[in-house]
Amino acid sequence: MKDTYQHKELRRKLVEALRKKGIEDQAVLDVMMKLPRHFFMEKAFEELAYEDKAFPIGSDQTISQPLTVAIQTSLLEVKNREKVLEIGTGSGYQAALLGLLGARVYTLERHRALYQQAKQLLERLKLGNIRCFHRDGFKGLPEFAPFDKIIVTAGAEEVPEVLSRQLKIGGKMVIPVGKGVQEMLVITRTGENTFERDEKGSFRFVPFLKGLE
């Protein structure tokens, strides 16, 4: 895996473009500058890795548009050593960014091929604070709950209560919800049975599906 001067320059331009599109979280911009996105994409798309677009990664899944990744990561407000559950490992790019932000990441992927690929890549990158699981995201990871933060990288038709219940009180979940087009929700657990939700704009994600493949 090579990260050339040209890659770094393309990454710098992408980060500047994200800043102009309204991303103000400097910590998020810094880790996006540091992490080579092309490592997480097929060779055929390598030259396009620093365009602000989603691309296919196999198993009918995509690596999300960088702007979407930056927005979700900023909304999560990750702090060092926080325990973060990610639903939908995909390429592993989002998990790697969370790991670079200092989170202890638990990431779930329902597609075995993607799980194995992402796990191997994250190990090669020596991101030891990320644990990968081949699991059904709808069930979360109860044996490691509660979590400070949860991020869902697929579009759910409704908020899965099982996931909400795996948040710490004061914890926060960022999840796109809706059919076709989703509304990005930030859900904060305010008490044992109370949650607040804020709407943060419309997005389009692959669907959040149950079961394993």
Side-chain angles (χ1 to χ4, degrees):
M1 296 188 294
K2 290 184 179 177
D3 187 32
T4 65
Y5 176 80
Q6 184 183 9
H7 289 129
K8 291 183 175 77
E9 181 60 19
L10 290 171
R11 207 149 60 240
R12 187 190 65 74
K13 288 179 180 176
L14 172 63
V15 166
E16 281 310 306
L18 294 176
R19 197 191 305 277
K20 286 174 183 171
K21 289 177 181 179
I23 302 300
E24 297 176 350
D25 189 323
Q26 191 58 47
V28 171
L29 293 172
D30 287 346
V31 292
M32 291 185 82
M33 180 64 212
K34 186 176 180 181
L35 184 65
R37 188 175 183 241
H38 65 278
F39 286 0
F40 298 84
M41 294 169 62
E42 293 176 18
K43 199 78 176 162
F45 297 112
E46 184 175 328
E47 290 184 14
L48 307 173
Y50 299 103
E51 292 187 14
D52 191 18
K53 293 178 181 176
F55 288 99
I57 55 169
S59 303
D60 292 327
Q61 304 299 299
T62 60
I63 182 171
S64 292
Q65 179 186 357
L67 180 61
T68 302
V69 172
I71 290 169
Q72 276 200 294
T73 310
S74 298
L75 290 173
L76 208 60
E77 296 182 322
V78 173
K79 295 176 181 63
N80 196 42
R81 300 287 301 157
E82 280 190 328
K83 218 160 112 183
V84 178
L85 175 63
E86 181 193 28
I87 307 297
T89 312
S91 68
Y93 179 68
Q94 176 73 76
L97 289 173
L98 295 170
L100 289 173
L101 285 167
R104 292 175 292 151
V105 183
Y106 298 75
T107 181
L108 311 186
E109 176 54 58
R110 65 186 292 269
H111 294 278
R112 180 173 288 279
L114 291 180
Y115 154 74
Q116 290 174 333
Q117 199 173 309
K119 187 173 189 288
Q120 288 170 4
L121 177 55
L122 293 168
E123 285 171 357
R124 284 175 73 187
L125 293 174
K126 295 183 168 53
L127 289 166
N129 51 342
I130 301 172
R131 297 177 67 177
C132 301
F133 300 82
H134 179 227
R135 297 282 281 272
D136 180 349
F138 272 88
K139 297 176 182 176
L141 208 56
E143 63 267 42
F144 292 101
F147 296 94
D148 297 292
K149 306 282 168 65
I150 298 176
I151 181 170
V152 180
T153 63
E157 291 191 5
E158 56 189 29
V159 179
E161 188 178 347
V162 170
L163 296 183
S164 301
R165 294 279 171 191
Q166 290 181 27
L167 279 173
K168 283 181 179 174
I169 292 173
K172 181 185 292 187
M173 174 161 59
V174 176
I175 178 171
V177 177
K179 291 183 181 180
V181 175
Q182 294 88 29
E183 185 70 31
M184 191 69 73
L185 300 182
V186 177
I187 294 168
T188 306
R189 188 171 193 177
T190 53
E192 191 61 40
N193 297 302
T194 54
F195 299 86
E196 286 180 356
R197 53 194 280 167
D198 291 318
E199 297 184 355
K200 298 292 183 179
S202 298
F203 294 83
R204 193 180 289 272
F205 282 78
V206 295
F208 187 4
L209 301 175
K210 293 184 178 181
L212 296 177
E213 290 197 7

